[in-house]
């Protein structure tokens, strides 16, 4: 009778022990899977636009071609109004982060600097003058679009858009935090260098 009871007790303990190991393994696999999916989900956002800026610039274009051993030259020129929209933001693929599966946390180690995500210029031509053997061609539009984009790109640093994007970086962190919270995890951004006012905004 005693042997039967001990056998039954050992069987129950063994079953419970086996079930506990199985559940721990299952929970660990689930947590690992969650962290992998979560990190991929954040990466899938890819680029986050923080600020937009509209530019209106007047650009004078001149091009001179020389012929006959540089004895004869021909110039084409135009006055171009550039209306462009520039988007500044963050490439979230450049974020350094890793998952703490034990504590269900995503550790945000480093956040990228703002960058130009896109510049879309629209050109309006005025006062077009063709040279004798140097006239505007369809290929010039492609070339001028590239030059217009470069011209606007050079204007961005003095526009203050980059500084505005840096101040609004917290919005990007909050987007990541909301993604993390969808599965009950937490975002740990303590490694980031934040001002006291920035930390207060994130704690609200």
């Amino acid at each position: 009778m005693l042997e039967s009871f001990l056998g039954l007790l050992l069987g129950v303990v063994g079953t419970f022990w086996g079930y506990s190991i199985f559940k721990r393994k299952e929970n660990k696999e689930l947590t690992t899977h969650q962290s992998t999916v979560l990190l991929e989900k954040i990466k899938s956002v890819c680029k986050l636009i923080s600020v937009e800026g509209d530019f209106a610039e007047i650009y004078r274009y001149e091009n001179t071609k020389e012929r006959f051993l540089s004895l004869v030259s021909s110039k084409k020129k135009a006055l171009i109004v550039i209306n462009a929209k520039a988007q500044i933001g963050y490439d979230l693929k450049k974020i350094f982060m890793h998952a703490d599966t034990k504590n269900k946390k995503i550790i945000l180690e480093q956040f990228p600097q703002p960058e130009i995500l896109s510049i879309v210029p629209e050109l309006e031509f005025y006062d077009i003058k063709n040279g004798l053997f140097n006239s505007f061609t369809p290929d010039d539009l492609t070339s001028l679009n590239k030059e217009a984009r470069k011209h606007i790109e050079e204007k961005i640093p003095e526009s203050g858009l980059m500084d505005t994007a840096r101040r609004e970086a917290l919005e990007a962190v909050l987007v990541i935090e909301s993604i993390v919270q969808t599965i009950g995890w937490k975002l740990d951004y303590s490694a980031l260098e934040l001002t006291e006012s920035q930390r207060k905004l994130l704690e609200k």
Side-chain angles (χ1 to χ4, degrees):
M1 184 69 178
L2 181 60
E3 291 179 354
S4 298
F5 176 74
L6 288 174
L8 180 62
L9 181 62
L10 288 172
V12 171
V13 171
T15 302
F16 178 76
W17 180 71
Y19 177 75
S20 298
I21 292 177
F22 174 76
K23 287 300 292 182
R24 281 199 298 269
K25 183 179 179 182
E26 187 181 59
N27 288 337
K28 184 177 180 181
E29 289 177 352
L30 177 61
T31 302
T32 303
H33 177 70
Q34 280 184 325
S35 65
T36 302
V37 170
L38 186 58
L39 290 173
E40 289 302 318
K41 189 174 181 181
I42 292 172
K43 287 181 180 179
S44 70
V45 177
C46 292
K47 294 182 179 180
L48 180 68
I49 298 171
S50 180
V51 293
E52 288 186 342
D54 293 315
F55 292 83
E57 296 283 332
I58 297 176
Y59 182 67
R60 296 182 183 277
Y61 173 80
E62 290 186 359
N63 177 270
T64 302
K65 286 185 179 180
E66 296 180 340
R67 295 279 180 89
F68 310 113
L69 301 176
S70 301
L71 295 175
V72 180
S73 64
S74 180
K75 180 187 292 185
K76 62 182 175 184
K77 60 182 181 179
L79 187 65
I80 305 170
V81 175
I82 305 172
N83 292 299
K85 183 179 291 292
Q87 295 180 332
I88 312 297
Y90 299 89
D91 186 348
L92 299 187
K93 288 184 178 180
K94 295 180 180 179
I95 288 176
F96 293 154
M97 58 186 176
H98 69 274
D100 178 357
T101 54
K102 182 179 179 181
N103 297 304
K104 290 191 175 183
K105 291 195 300 185
I106 296 296
I107 314 297
L108 186 56
E109 298 175 347
Q110 184 174 322
F111 199 79
Q113 290 296 313
E115 59 186 78
I116 301 170
L117 298 182
S118 72
I119 297 176
V120 183
E122 292 184 2
L123 309 184
E124 296 180 17
F125 292 82
Y126 297 91
D127 195 24
I128 299 174
K129 292 181 180 179
N130 292 310
L132 182 62
F133 52 83
N134 185 17
S135 57
F136 283 93
T137 66
D139 290 338
D140 288 327
L141 181 61
T142 301
S143 176
L144 286 169
N145 266 288
K146 289 180 179 179
E147 288 189 35
R149 189 186 189 286
K150 184 179 179 182
H151 180 72
I152 296 300
E153 190 173 335
E154 291 171 350
K155 294 287 183 179
I156 287 177
E158 61 190 59
S159 69
L161 286 176
M162 287 296 187
D163 292 333
T164 302
R166 289 187 185 95
R167 288 195 296 269
E168 296 187 2
L170 294 181
E171 293 295 329
V173 176
L174 291 174
V175 168
I176 296 173
E177 187 173 40
S178 65
I179 293 174
V180 170
Q181 289 174 345
T182 57
I183 63 167
W185 285 46
K186 290 184 178 180
L187 178 68
D188 183 349
Y189 47 82
S190 58
L192 300 182
E193 294 182 5
L194 301 175
T195 64
E196 187 62 29
S197 60
Q198 287 175 324
R199 289 190 179 280
K200 286 179 179 178
L201 286 173
L202 285 172
E203 290 169 0
K204 285 184 178 180

